[in-house]
Structures are given as structure tokens and as C-alpha cells.
Amino acid sequence: MADYAWLSEVRSIVGREYGRIYAWDEVNPAMVRQWCEVMGVDNPLYTDSDYAATTEFGEIVAPPAMLQAWCLEGLHMNNYPPGSTDENPYEILTQIEQQGYPAVVAVNSELSFDRYVRMGEKLYYTTLIKEMSEEKTTGLGTGFFVTQVMSFFSEQEGEDEKVGELLFRVFKFKPAQAAKPVEKSDSAVPVIKRPKPGISDDTRFFWDGCNAGELRIQHCKSCDKLQHPPAPVCSHCQSFELDYHVSKGNGELYSFVVMHYPEVPPFDYPNPIGLIQLDEGVRLPAGIVGIDPSELKIGQRLQVEFQTFDDELTLPLFRPLSA
């Protein structure tokens, strides 16, 4: 267990609670509508005033998952509203970095909610440095896990009311030294295969379709709607009468990430993974091939192609359509 001289000073920050970070705006219908459009959320409780009036709330409310968004600084870093604290709740990470732990990776983000947030409320949050681990060695390197808790409140006459909480844990570490290449020998090197998906009675039709060169999307015979990923019940009408529709496999790139590190065999890197909006209306994640990741653009037209790996696993991948 590490016992560095500087640790006691850094650990003295644990338990400290930092002042308020205010939201720029009151909770409002315009921002709720825009967030729902971006996230693809169509619950009328958030955007339809007439529908919301018939519910227990009597008016539209904000999506719970939107809680953190209200108190973000916006386009410019650390541009917080007047009245917000000028303390730096991340100073513990800065101090650890100064001791030779330059890298950081988020390992946990747990958002919980006490109640729905209503229109017109003004929110703020405070930050508590909850924990700092002993020095740990992982596959990424050696460092410290630091846990922060952001508590969100609504300003009220009298005592403010807590509406939610975000637990955020990061790993501040010294990157592990890259292993030196092993010289090839005559001994056989084990081949690492692609991991196989978990297949159940609810998803077997999808993987059977891949083997047959078909992109099969689950279809509800009761309400005639599609859904993905497959489920034992229709998410729209809760019917158990399900079959599948064969998609044409055309769509557009709704979102994407490019994996660089850690490099996990047998995948190639950089490894682009997209969220594809099919023309039939559903989205599915899949690997993207046939393009330099730097040339990927949201809205780009894509078409499915099936590739077989290890002579046993057929996956739907997507390739950009040529102009």
C-alpha cells in the first residue's frame, strides 16, 4: 500500500463539499423539446401540454435523464452563471496529476432521481468529494479512484428541495508501459476469435437472419410497429404477438464513436462503431467498414453488408453508399 508524503494533503480534501453551481435558465419547455428531439424521446408527458394536463402532474415535466444538462456551463468551459462558486471541485484530480498521474478515465456515472422537475424551477448542484481509494494497479496503469457526488436541488421558499444526485467516479493514473513486441517463434500462437453474442429465444431470429444474409427487425403483429433490440414483448403496446420484418438494410448514420484504446484483439483499430437509423425507423448499433473514421459524418447514407468471422459468426456491418 502506497504511503507517499503528499497523500495526506490530498486526502484532506476528501469529505469537502463545494459551493453551488447554478443553472443558466429555469426549467423550460423549449429546452425540454429540443433535448427530446435530439435523444429521440417521444413521451407526451414531456412535450404535449394537453396530454400532460390529464396526468397526475397536471402539466408537462422535464425528463429525469435531463437533470445534469440544466447546470452545464454551455459552449465555453467554466462559464457558470452569476452566484456560482468559483471553487474548483476537481482540484483533487489536479493535485494527484501533479504527483505524476497524468491520465484520467471515467469508470462510473450513476444518476438517480428524487422526483420529476417541473417547468419554472431553478436548479443548482453542490459537489462532495466522497472517497479516494488506496493506490491501485489495473490494466490501464497505476493510480487512484476518486468518487464525487453532485447533489441537485430546486430553489424553494424556505428550504430548498433535493431532486436528484449524480455519483461520478474517475481513475487518475500513470499509464502502464506498453509491452515490448514478442518475437515470433515456431510455437503455435493461439488465435483470438470474435466474442459470440448471447442468443436467446427472443433474439435467435435476428442471428438466424444474419446467417441467411437478412437484416431481420422485430415486428409487432398487433400494432404493426418495429422495435430493436428484440424483446419478449412489444415496447409500444405490450403485445406478445411478435414476428419479424426483413429490412432493406439502408439507413443513415445517426451517431458514432471511434474506439482507439484499449486495443482488444481481434478487433482492428481505430474501430468505428455507429448507431444507424434504418429507413424503416429503428436504430441499431453496428461496426462501420469501408471508410476512414475521420471521414465519417452524421447523416451519411449507409448500407448493410454481412461479414463472417472465424467461419462461424456472421455480423451485420455497414458501409457508406457511394455517391
Side-chain angles (χ1 to χ4, degrees):
M1 182 172 64
D3 188 22
Y4 307 121
W6 53 269
L7 266 178
S8 58
E9 181 179 353
V10 175
R11 290 193 185 282
S12 68
I13 301 176
V14 175
R16 179 177 177 181
E17 187 168 14
Y18 292 79
R20 300 179 179 186
I21 298 292
Y22 285 98
W24 274 104
D25 303 285
E26 295 180 346
V27 178
N28 63 86
M31 291 177 66
V32 168
R33 175 180 55 80
Q34 293 166 359
W35 187 91
C36 287
E37 288 178 357
V38 170
M39 300 302 293
V41 175
D42 57 3
N43 189 333
L45 179 60
Y46 307 142
T47 55
D48 187 332
S49 298
D50 293 336
Y51 171 82
T54 67
T55 70
E56 60 183 295
F57 304 102
E59 61 177 345
I60 60 175
V61 294
M66 191 180 176
L67 182 60
Q68 187 184 9
W70 295 109
C71 295
L72 295 178
E73 64 265 49
L75 181 62
H76 304 291
M77 186 176 293
N78 298 323
N79 181 33
Y80 293 108
S84 298
T85 181
D86 57 2
E87 299 173 310
N88 178 12
Y90 301 102
E91 65 175 326
I92 188 171
L93 302 183
T94 302
Q95 292 195 24
I96 295 173
E97 181 173 334
Q98 291 172 349
Q99 301 303 322
Y101 300 81
V104 64
V105 62
V107 293
N108 289 86
S109 181
E110 302 173 9
L111 192 58
S112 58
F113 318 102
D114 290 33
R115 66 166 174 83
Y116 280 96
V117 175
R118 298 176 179 271
M119 300 302 107
E121 291 193 270
K122 191 65 180 290
L123 306 182
Y124 68 85
Y125 72 85
T126 59
T127 302
L128 171 69
I129 307 301
K130 185 178 180 179
E131 296 174 342
M132 176 180 168
S133 74
E134 300 295 335
E135 190 175 43
K136 305 287 186 179
T137 298
T138 73
L140 292 177
T142 300
F144 301 87
F145 290 91
V146 177
T147 303
Q148 300 172 296
V149 175
M150 290 80 158
S151 298
F152 290 80
F153 295 87
S154 170
E155 288 190 308
Q156 306 284 328
E157 291 186 7
E159 185 176 356
D160 295 343
E161 183 178 0
K162 186 178 178 182
V163 295
E165 182 178 280
L166 172 64
L167 182 148
F168 191 62
R169 182 176 292 116
V170 299
F171 183 47
K172 201 81 173 106
F173 63 99
K174 298 176 182 177
Q177 295 294 323
K180 295 181 179 180
V182 178
E183 294 183 2
K184 294 183 179 180
S185 65
D186 295 335
S187 60
V189 177
V191 176
I192 299 178
K193 297 182 178 181
R194 289 222 175 194
K196 294 181 180 179
I199 299 177
S200 68
D201 290 341
D202 299 317
T203 63
R204 184 168 287 105
F205 77 92
F206 178 83
W207 299 108
D208 286 347
C210 292
N211 292 331
E214 294 180 348
L215 185 60
R216 298 175 179 175
I217 304 299
Q218 195 168 50
H219 167 258
C220 177
K221 293 191 285 187
S222 295
C223 67
D224 197 33
K225 292 186 177 180
L226 301 175
Q227 66 179 14
H228 188 84
V233 64
C234 175
S235 61
H236 305 285
C237 71
Q238 287 70 59
S239 170
F240 290 92
E241 298 297 317
L242 302 169
D243 57 8
Y244 62 84
H245 164 83
V246 178
S247 168
K248 294 181 179 179
N250 295 324
E252 65 179 37
L253 188 58
Y254 184 83
S255 181
F256 69 92
V257 296
V258 180
M259 295 292 297
H260 293 274
Y261 186 85
E263 294 188 359
V264 179
F267 300 97
D268 296 325
Y269 290 85
N271 181 16
I273 303 168
L275 183 61
I276 291 83
Q277 173 95 26
L278 294 177
D279 291 346
E280 290 85 357
V282 297
R283 299 174 189 150
L284 78 162
I288 303 175
V289 296
I291 187 172
D292 187 314
S294 64
E295 297 178 358
L296 288 171
K297 300 185 185 307
I298 300 298
Q300 200 164 22
R301 294 291 297 171
L302 305 168
Q303 185 174 40
V304 72
E305 70 172 45
F306 294 93
Q307 293 188 13
T308 301
F309 300 89
D310 309 318
D311 297 323
E312 58 183 356
L313 176 63
T314 301
L315 298 176
L317 306 177
F318 280 80
R319 180 182 296 273
L321 286 170
S322 62

